[in-house]
Amino acid sequence: MTKIVADIGGTNMRIAQTDGINSIRDIKKYKVTDFASPVDTIKAYIQDSGCAQPTHVCMAIACPVAGDQITMTNHSWSFSIEQSQKELGVQALYVINDFTAVALSVPFLADEQKIQVGGEQPQLDKPIAVYGAGTGLGVAHVVPLADKWVPLPGEGGHVDFATNTEVEAKILAFLADELGHVSAERIISGQGIANIYRALAHINDADIKSLEPAEVTEKALAGECDLCKQALDVFCDTLGSFGGNLALNLLTRGGVYIAGGIVPRFIDYVVQSGFRNRFDAKGRFEKLNKSIPVYIVTEEQPGLLGAAAYIAQNT
């Protein structure tokens, strides 16, 4: 049986074949603007790869998934799951949220697909927390149930941002004047890095330059800008505090995983920052958090692997 997995973002759709959990091959990337629908893109992949007619397809997509009709947030695609299944001629077509797929991949990652940042060894039958800083802040948990791992998606990135220092309180006040509600995502994301930088510039009466998140990060890592370095330090600190909160929510003795496109770009900086201290700093529960391992996901295709895991667990 040929089984196909896809990871659909606002710009690209990555497609591969899967032979089981943590197994993908023949990955190809397509621009979503070049095709009318995911079905057309998958048909192009089948032709390009020369694979047999698939029996099962799982698509991880960057938008809410509820009901039969799927409408992308950052692209024009809108389609029916039932109709797409008929057009593809497959036994089953699964559609899941892209971060749900990322979360589902982490219980199956090998050591070379992740880097541990403190903590003890994970307990293999306990809940796992996953969060990812990218364009936004994705949050999910994964729990073992019978012989499967079940993802628990949510919108944890939009909880209130909680401060732990005087500087963070001032950053919160600055952003609250500008935005009203300040969620964790306003700090712990790509745009969050730029938000922190702008707030710090205001607090320090410095000229506020128009810097993109990548520019703030690059200048911080190169030691070219003290304010940029301070911004990246605040990002790492709050990343740690937020992860520590997730660990407490479900007592994630299986570990806390950081995914997304930002943190893997400066892993050494995160490791040497205040990240782990802030993850552990939970007062009476500090001992518990110190025992919980944190991992940074270095695997480049966690969405495809999560889709592969979904098919493997449901067929």
Side-chain angles (χ1 to χ4, degrees):
M1 293 190 297
T2 299
K3 299 175 182 178
I4 286 178
V5 290
D7 187 4
I8 308 172
T11 303
N12 296 307
M13 179 171 175
R14 292 171 173 82
I15 308 176
Q17 296 172 60
T18 176
D19 299 312
I21 288 176
N22 209 13
S23 172
I24 53 175
R25 57 185 171 84
D26 298 332
I27 302 171
K28 296 185 185 298
K29 182 171 70 174
Y30 299 86
K31 288 185 177 180
V32 294
T33 52
D34 289 344
F35 297 89
S37 69
V39 168
D40 287 346
T41 318
I42 290 173
K43 287 181 177 179
Y45 173 84
I46 293 171
Q47 182 175 3
D48 293 343
S49 65
C51 71
Q53 167 66 23
T55 57
H56 298 74
V57 173
C58 181
M59 300 190 298
I61 189 165
C63 68
V65 177
D68 178 67
Q69 192 67 29
I70 304 297
T71 300
M72 291 190 68
T73 305
N74 295 314
H75 185 56
S76 59
W77 281 353
S78 182
F79 60 94
S80 158
I81 298 175
E82 182 179 355
Q83 182 61 35
S84 297
Q85 180 180 346
K86 291 178 181 177
E87 291 179 22
L88 286 171
V90 295
Q91 294 177 25
L93 171 61
Y94 307 110
V95 180
I96 60 178
N97 174 263
D98 62 334
F99 200 78
T100 298
V102 171
L104 191 54
S105 75
V106 299
F108 307 107
L109 294 177
D111 289 344
E112 61 268 21
Q113 294 169 303
K114 59 189 179 182
I115 292 175
Q116 185 168 352
V117 185
E120 299 173 1
Q121 290 301 304
Q123 297 182 30
L124 302 181
D125 59 344
K126 299 299 182 182
I128 290 170
V130 189
Y131 65 126
T135 304
L137 176 60
V139 177
H141 287 80
V142 190
V143 297
L145 179 63
D147 59 344
K148 296 182 178 180
W149 283 94
V150 179
L152 304 177
E155 292 294 343
H158 297 283
V159 301
D160 297 342
F161 170 62
T163 66
N164 284 274
T165 68
E166 183 179 347
V167 169
E168 290 170 11
K170 291 179 178 179
I171 292 171
L172 173 60
F174 172 82
L175 293 177
D177 285 342
E178 182 180 282
L179 303 169
H181 177 253
V182 181
S183 65
E185 181 176 274
R186 299 291 195 177
I187 302 292
I188 309 169
S189 64
Q191 187 56 47
I193 293 175
N195 287 341
I196 296 169
Y197 169 79
R198 289 189 301 104
L200 290 174
H202 172 78
I203 293 166
N204 290 278
D205 294 322
D207 291 335
I208 301 179
K209 299 178 181 178
S210 180
L211 295 179
E212 294 296 319
E215 293 178 296
V216 176
T217 302
E218 289 167 5
K219 289 179 179 294
L221 297 176
E224 297 175 355
C225 172
D226 290 341
L227 207 59
C228 292
K229 183 181 184 305
Q230 188 179 356
L232 196 59
D233 287 342
V234 170
F235 172 84
C236 292
D237 288 350
T238 54
L239 182 78
S241 290
F242 188 81
N245 289 344
L246 294 181
L248 292 175
N249 284 340
L250 286 185
L251 295 180
T252 58
R253 292 186 171 92
V256 174
Y257 285 74
I258 302 172
I262 293 179
V263 175
R265 298 175 186 173
F266 46 92
I267 293 175
D268 290 343
Y269 194 95
V270 173
V271 172
Q272 296 169 16
S273 74
F275 166 82
R276 184 71 214 201
N277 286 338
R278 288 284 291 267
F279 182 95
D280 296 339
K282 299 301 178 187
R284 290 170 292 173
F285 281 82
E286 181 170 341
K287 183 177 180 181
L288 169 64
N289 268 33
K290 279 187 174 180
S291 71
I292 292 177
V294 174
Y295 298 94
I296 298 174
V297 176
T298 56
E299 164 58 43
E300 294 183 356
Q301 303 295 344
L304 290 176
L305 287 176
Y310 192 92
I311 288 182
Q313 292 192 136
N314 288 278
T315 57

